[in-house]
Amino acid sequence: LVAKRASLVEDVIAQTGVLVPFAWYLRKRLPCLHEFCVICDEPLVFSPLLRPTVCTRTLCCYSARTFGDAVTGEFSGVNASLEVWDLLVAMAVCAGRMNHERMKILFGDQSFPQLFIPGSTQPALQASDDGLKRLRKLLQQLATYRASQIGGSSIHWFTRAFSDTG
């Protein structure tokens, strides 16, 4: 990504005038803005996301928390990731309601959830028929808990469930 950005700058320098290089740079750079931190403009350490994202560098995290929307625009550090987590939970719950064969395909050896009991190095669930039954039961309990927590607050049940104070 650094090379990509550097080549864009080199191409802009080759353009003549003031407005043409600016317009050319905007046209080329806008489709890939999500690949870079909105504060420091460095490539993201993790894979690019769909929304504007702040990298994990200390100064960027601090700036995002301190200045919030003033610096990052639409970005909200907690809710952006919570929406993704809620979507993943909802998709897992729906997959848990499928028949055994379909669930076996969706949660195969490569995609079986790695859940650990605190202090243990062994997964709590194994990718086996017994593990699928236990996973289905866990997903049913999670669906019940999620439904009781959502109420009228949409995905904000995650905020309450994982807050430092609660």
Side-chain angles (χ1 to χ4, degrees):
L1 290 175
V2 174
K4 182 179 185 179
R5 188 178 58 197
S7 71
L8 282 174
V9 171
E10 289 175 11
D11 291 343
V12 167
I13 292 171
Q15 303 290 327
T16 57
V18 176
L19 292 177
V20 171
F22 180 70
W24 189 91
Y25 181 77
L26 282 178
R27 192 184 62 140
K28 293 290 186 180
R29 184 67 195 273
L30 283 176
C32 63
L33 280 178
H34 66 283
E35 298 173 357
F36 298 90
C37 174
V38 297
I39 295 176
C40 69
D41 200 35
E42 291 296 318
L44 296 173
V45 177
F46 43 87
S47 59
L49 301 173
L50 296 176
R51 297 182 72 187
T53 307
V54 173
C55 67
T56 56
R57 293 175 187 89
T58 307
L59 183 59
C60 296
C61 291
Y62 173 78
S63 298
R65 288 285 178 207
T66 304
F67 302 112
D69 290 345
V71 173
T72 58
E74 187 180 319
F75 172 79
S76 59
V78 175
N79 290 339
S81 62
L82 292 181
E83 289 169 350
V84 173
W85 278 105
D86 187 54
L87 176 64
L88 291 172
V89 168
M91 289 171 54
V93 166
C94 287
R97 292 181 181 146
M98 294 181 179
N99 66 36
H100 183 74
E101 291 304 314
R102 180 71 175 148
M103 192 172 169
K104 202 174 194 178
I105 293 169
L106 290 173
F107 293 110
D109 290 337
Q110 296 294 326
S111 59
F112 198 82
Q114 295 290 312
L115 304 172
F116 292 89
I117 297 171
S120 174
T121 58
Q122 296 298 320
L125 301 173
Q126 300 292 329
S128 64
D129 284 339
D130 183 50
L132 280 174
K133 289 176 187 174
R134 292 178 65 196
L135 179 62
R136 183 183 303 272
K137 183 178 178 185
L138 178 68
L139 290 172
Q140 288 170 349
Q141 291 171 347
L142 182 60
T144 303
Y145 177 76
R146 181 176 179 264
S148 71
Q149 294 297 313
I150 287 181
S153 63
S154 180
I155 58 114
H156 299 292
W157 72 277
F158 261 115
T159 306
R160 288 189 309 274
F162 297 109
S163 69
D164 295 333
T165 59

